[in-house]
Amino acid sequence: MRRTNKNNKGGTQCQSTLLTVILTTLIQSVFGVGVLLFGTPMLLLLGLGFVNALLVLLPISIAINSLQLLKHYRYVDIGFYKNVLIYSIPFVVLFLWIITSVKINISALVGGLLILVALKAISPVVDKALRPLFNYERTYLAIMGVIHGMTNLGGSLLTAIVYGKPYQKDQTRATAASCYATFALFQLAVLFFISHEFDVSYADNIGFLQVGVVTFLLAEEMLYSKIDNKKYNMLFAGFLLASGILLLVKSL
């Protein structure tokens, strides 16, 4: 009986993870970020550990961003991308290694960050207070690397700085996608080099990846040209705020 309950619990978590993959893939298909930014807090809320959440989400994020770049790689801002490589990636690697080594419960940290980003998106006062950070791009990128390494949520800061630049639609998504894919590649490399027990099976991971790719291909044709950015920003802020509050409650 206990084994049956355990199997039922595992099946329910697998289904919930699959739904999370579909939802976050739809978001990333349009904006270049989303699978890690939204998927991480959702999988933490479902009870999956941080490292196992990374193991599920990173391959999907890499696959989607790679498909996006195949079509729009010419639009990538190479200068900005080089700055991300120099000032963000070393901190992503270092702080991911630290967080997986000391096994800190980061739910409260993730929740607090989500609330801050949500307030920035909906409050002109908070947005105005944080905007001067964009003038110090190197420092901003280093902070982004620290946050992404520790929480997997640097996509929120990446989106903020990329969308703050005078890019056209394709250049915005391509630049965000190239940076996001690079984050994920280095994170995945760190996970392979450290010794850690994974709870998610290889077969499940392949299945999640296949669903993510198919979802992206459908969304690319049906959604990308039709999304209302203003409406998305409000939904984005509301989702972050709700997820942040739930994670803070969960961490108590």
Side-chain angles (χ1 to χ4, degrees), residues 4-246:
T4 301
N5 290 336
K6 184 177 181 180
N7 290 337
N8 288 338
K9 182 179 179 181
T12 300
Q13 187 175 70
C14 186
Q15 292 174 1
S16 300
T17 301
L18 189 61
L19 290 175
T20 299
V21 167
I22 294 172
L23 174 61
T24 57
T25 296
L26 288 173
I27 297 171
Q28 184 157 327
S29 298
V30 176
F31 297 102
V33 300
V35 167
L36 304 182
L37 178 60
F38 291 111
T40 302
M42 291 177 72
L43 293 186
L44 288 176
L45 287 170
L46 291 172
L48 208 62
F50 181 62
V51 172
N52 285 291
L54 288 180
L55 190 65
V56 170
L57 299 173
L58 289 174
I60 299 170
S61 182
I62 292 169
I64 294 171
N65 287 145
S66 298
L67 290 170
Q68 289 171 324
L69 289 172
L70 282 175
K71 186 176 182 180
H72 297 299
Y73 67 91
R74 295 184 182 87
Y75 294 100
V76 175
D77 183 341
I78 300 300
F80 178 78
Y81 178 75
K82 287 181 178 178
N83 283 339
V84 169
L85 278 177
I86 295 170
Y87 300 108
S88 295
I89 294 301
F91 290 102
V92 171
V93 172
L94 175 62
F95 280 87
L96 176 58
W97 177 80
I98 291 173
I99 204 72
T100 53
S101 299
V102 298
K103 297 181 180 179
I104 298 173
N105 183 351
I106 63 161
S107 292
L109 181 61
V110 174
L113 177 63
L114 286 174
I115 291 174
L116 178 63
V117 175
L119 290 175
K120 176 189 176 301
I122 63 178
S123 170
V125 175
V126 176
D127 181 65
K128 186 177 181 180
L130 295 178
R131 191 162 293 277
L133 288 175
F134 297 155
N135 297 326
Y136 303 93
E137 185 170 289
R138 295 177 181 178
T139 302
Y140 185 95
L141 294 178
I143 294 171
M144 181 174 72
V146 172
I147 290 174
H148 195 74
M150 293 183 69
T151 67
N152 213 28
L153 300 177
S156 59
L157 300 180
L158 176 62
T159 301
I161 192 169
V162 170
Y163 276 72
K165 292 180 177 293
Y167 294 155
Q168 296 297 318
K169 177 182 176 182
D170 290 337
Q171 188 174 20
T172 296
R173 190 177 76 157
T175 301
S178 64
C179 297
Y180 214 44
T182 305
F183 282 173
L185 282 169
F186 276 91
Q187 287 174 282
L188 203 56
V190 171
L191 292 183
F192 277 117
F193 276 107
I194 64 175
S195 178
H196 197 282
E197 293 183 4
F198 301 118
D199 296 329
V200 182
S201 70
Y202 178 77
D204 284 343
N205 253 343
I206 293 298
F208 294 141
L209 177 60
Q210 291 173 334
V211 169
V213 169
V214 171
T215 302
F216 163 76
L217 293 173
L218 293 174
E220 178 76 3
E221 295 297 324
M222 300 170 64
L223 292 178
Y224 180 54
S225 62
K226 301 178 182 179
I227 286 290
D228 184 332
N229 283 322
K230 184 176 180 180
K231 185 181 294 184
Y232 166 77
N233 287 336
M234 294 303 296
L235 293 172
F236 177 90
F239 182 87
L240 290 179
L241 185 62
S243 296
I245 292 172
L246 287 172

